[in-house]
């Protein structure tokens, strides 16, 4: 008796795809002694004005503890420096160093390279459908329409 081919669940497809993307980014970042988390942080920090540390976590979708570890490692590598926020006496602004700005350019090139490769191999119509589907998934989750019984 032959087992029917099981259809992969949507969450499996999302998870396995993201794991592959993450692995690819970490391999690229590793060529310059960096990580994907560091690359995303570099891209998320305003290169001219700096970014409040409290705004960085939500911007990157990271928990405070993970972000704190990433920022500490970035500071040790000389990518960032922390300065008092003139707008908020208790707050801290994260600024890129010159080395941080160079690595930010590399990180952006990696992200844009991935984007271009996908766009070259997937039609504009298919990409538009992909974006609509992921937006719908996010809306369902954010509006609590999946598991709330109301």
């Amino acid at each position: 008796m032959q087992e029917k081919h099981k259809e992969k669940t949507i969450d499996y497809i999302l998870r396995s795809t993201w794991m592959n993307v993450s692995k690819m980014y970490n391999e690229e970042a590793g060529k310059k002694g960096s990580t994907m988390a560091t690359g995303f942080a570099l891209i998320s920090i305003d290169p001219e004005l700096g970014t409040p540390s409290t705004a960085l976590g939500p911007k990157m979708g990271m928990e405070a503890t993970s972000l704190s570890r990433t920022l500490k490692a970035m500071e040790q590598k000389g990518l960032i420096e922390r300065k008092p926020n003139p707008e908020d006496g208790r707050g801290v602004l994260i600024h890129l160093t010159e080395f941080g700005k160079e690595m930010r350019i590399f990180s952006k090139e990696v992200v844009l390279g991935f984007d271009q490769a996908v766009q070259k191999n997937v039609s504009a119509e298919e990409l538009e459908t992909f974006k609509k589907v992921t937006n719908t998934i996010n809306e369902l989750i954010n509006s609590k329409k999946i598991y709330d019984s109301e």
Side-chain angles (χ1 to χ4, degrees):
M1 195 163 100
Q2 195 175 3
E3 191 179 317
K4 274 177 72 176
H5 172 70
K6 282 190 174 182
E7 199 60 33
K8 289 187 169 105
T9 61
I10 293 164
D11 93 296
Y12 174 85
I13 295 165
L14 289 169
R15 199 168 5 103
S16 64
T17 301
W18 176 246
M19 287 171 70
N20 280 326
V21 170
S22 179
K23 183 179 174 201
M24 173 197 68
Y25 277 154
N26 275 317
E27 286 172 2
E28 282 305 303
K31 293 175 182 176
K32 296 251 186 178
S34 191
T35 66
M36 180 185 75
T38 294
F40 280 157
L42 289 168
I43 291 170
S44 301
I45 296 168
D46 185 303
E48 303 308 319
L49 305 172
T51 299
S53 56
T54 51
L56 215 45
K59 200 171 181 182
M60 294 174 58
M62 277 179 92
E63 295 296 323
T65 50
S66 300
L67 180 62
S68 171
R69 274 193 303 271
T70 299
L71 292 176
K72 188 175 181 184
M74 290 173 71
E75 202 168 19
Q76 289 169 345
K77 289 181 180 171
L79 295 165
I80 61 166
E81 50 193 10
R82 299 170 201 245
K83 296 180 180 174
N85 186 344
E87 310 279 310
D88 172 8
R90 298 163 301 163
V92 173
L93 285 178
I94 307 295
H95 284 272
L96 297 176
T97 62
E98 284 309 309
F99 178 48
K101 288 177 183 178
E102 286 171 33
M103 287 298 284
R104 182 179 194 274
I105 292 167
F106 167 73
S107 297
K108 279 188 100 162
E109 287 170 356
V110 170
V111 170
L112 291 173
F114 170 68
D115 226 48
Q116 289 166 351
V118 171
Q119 288 184 35
K120 206 188 296 183
N121 291 278
V122 178
S123 74
E125 186 183 12
E126 288 172 317
L127 269 177
E128 198 50 46
T129 301
F130 172 76
K131 290 175 184 176
K132 282 182 184 172
V133 170
T134 55
N135 281 335
T136 300
I137 290 169
N138 282 318
E139 285 170 16
L140 286 169
I141 293 167
N142 292 333
S143 65
K144 308 249 186 261
K145 288 185 178 168
I146 296 178
Y147 296 115
D148 282 2
S149 56
E150 288 181 41

